[in-house]
Amino acid sequence: MSTTSTTSTTAVARAQEARAASGNVRAYLLYVAGKLGGAAISLLAVLVTSFFLFRIIPGDPVKAMTHGMPTSAAQLATLRRQFGLDQPMWQQFTDYCAKALTGDLGTSYQFHAPVGDLITQKLPATLLLTGVAVLIYSAIGLWLGTRSAWRNGSLGDKLNTGVALTLWSVPSFWLGLLLIITFSVGIGPIPGMFPTGGMESGDETGFAYVADVAHHMVLPVLTLVAVGYAQTLLVMRSSLLDEMGSDYLTTARAKGLRDDVVRRHHAVPNALLPTVTMVFINLGHVAAGSILVETVFSWPGLGGLFYQALSVPDLPLVQGLFVVFAGAMILMNLLADLLYPLLDPRVGR
């Protein structure tokens, strides 16, 4: 009788576990579906915004392209017709959306080449520069933010926080110019050690080429790291400070766990959610690069291309770059949202 009762209890427990697991899977799938739907709506909003936002920029693209050249009114009309600028706004919008949804971002006015090809050509340089910078400053920011929070109020905490706040408030282009003046041009006893701009010298091959590119990357990467790590440090520090007084940390210490173990295995994982969002947003910035930093250092990436497109304005190129930049941000935010339930099972329930 007792054996039958035990078997029945076990079967009931297993059935309850199966129902709970099924409910968790269903809740997660609904959570994923909601996030995917939100990302799709955001992308459609980006398409609408990219079309109308850049049409309020003052200037006539056709006149800008023909600036300094004798051009008749008939030739200007022909160019407007060629680029579709003579069509009603609603028709331009519907054509733009239809092509964008099929991957056709149009043809650049000034380069006379498909926007997608131009982006593909410039993307590797941007991924190299900002990718390296994001990896470095995310690691530094997480490490220093954790140490500052854990030793809250110490001299090291005050020093780290003060430096981070100062660098976070410094415009990146201004810091880049200071670095160029100091380490490229040279000032006082400091000689010029690094190139003033560009990605390569143009006359190197093999390992020498890799070293040359790395040499050109030092100052722009240093600029991005100096500004970026500060934000990551402050977010991680704030998140960890919120966890410091939690009961589960007191319980872990009462069990006799060492302070380092409590920090690494209990406090930090629970403080990571806001920082994970920050890291994924920074990864989204990898596609956009840093327009100002790339412009200051003449880096041949998407940031410099965006600056060139705005100066015309080259509407198809500006719109295409805006969609790529915003799309990367939406994708990274989506990945962060899908990762949250793995870090904290309470999310998505």
Side-chain angles (χ1 to χ4, degrees), residues 78-287:
T78 300
L79 287 173
R80 288 193 177 91
R81 184 166 57 254
Q82 177 183 344
F83 294 127
L85 296 174
D86 62 329
Q87 298 175 351
M89 188 66 70
W90 66 267
Q91 188 172 349
Q92 293 184 45
F93 175 67
T94 54
D95 290 345
Y96 164 70
C97 288
K99 291 179 179 179
L101 291 175
T102 61
D104 182 4
L105 298 176
T107 302
S108 168
Y109 293 163
Q110 57 181 326
F111 296 105
H112 305 288
V115 170
D117 292 348
L118 293 172
I119 293 175
T120 303
Q121 292 170 10
K122 299 291 186 179
L123 183 60
T126 291
L127 292 180
L128 176 64
L129 177 66
T130 55
V132 170
V134 166
L135 290 176
I136 294 174
Y137 71 63
S138 295
I140 294 175
L142 286 171
W143 180 62
L144 289 179
T146 300
R147 292 180 65 86
S148 292
W150 205 250
R151 300 173 181 177
N152 182 34
S154 67
L155 179 62
D157 173 44
K158 293 177 181 178
L159 181 62
N160 283 331
T161 306
V163 173
L165 287 172
T166 301
L167 290 175
W168 196 9
S169 62
V170 172
S172 58
F173 72 90
W174 184 77
L175 180 59
L177 290 173
L178 284 182
L179 291 177
I180 289 175
I181 294 172
T182 305
F183 297 107
S184 292
V185 178
I187 182 171
I190 303 175
M193 297 177 287
F194 299 100
T196 56
M199 181 177 174
E200 57 185 86
S201 301
D203 54 356
E204 305 290 350
T205 57
F207 180 77
Y209 172 77
V210 175
D212 183 47
V213 172
H215 190 219
H216 282 76
M217 286 177 59
V218 171
L219 293 185
V221 166
L222 182 59
T223 303
L224 292 172
V225 168
V227 176
Y229 102 92
Q231 188 177 19
T232 308
L233 181 152
L234 293 172
V235 171
M236 185 62 195
R237 179 181 180 275
S238 176
S239 300
L240 189 54
L241 284 176
D242 289 340
E243 298 290 331
M244 295 284 283
S246 300
D247 293 337
Y248 70 90
L249 295 183
T250 304
T251 303
R253 290 190 180 96
K255 291 179 179 179
L257 296 179
R258 290 185 295 108
D259 202 51
D260 286 345
V261 174
V262 174
R263 183 182 73 246
R264 290 198 307 268
H265 297 288
H266 295 274
V268 171
N270 287 293
L272 275 178
L273 284 185
T275 311
V276 165
T277 302
M278 179 68 60
V279 170
F280 272 88
I281 289 175
N282 291 336
L283 289 175
H285 286 154
V286 169

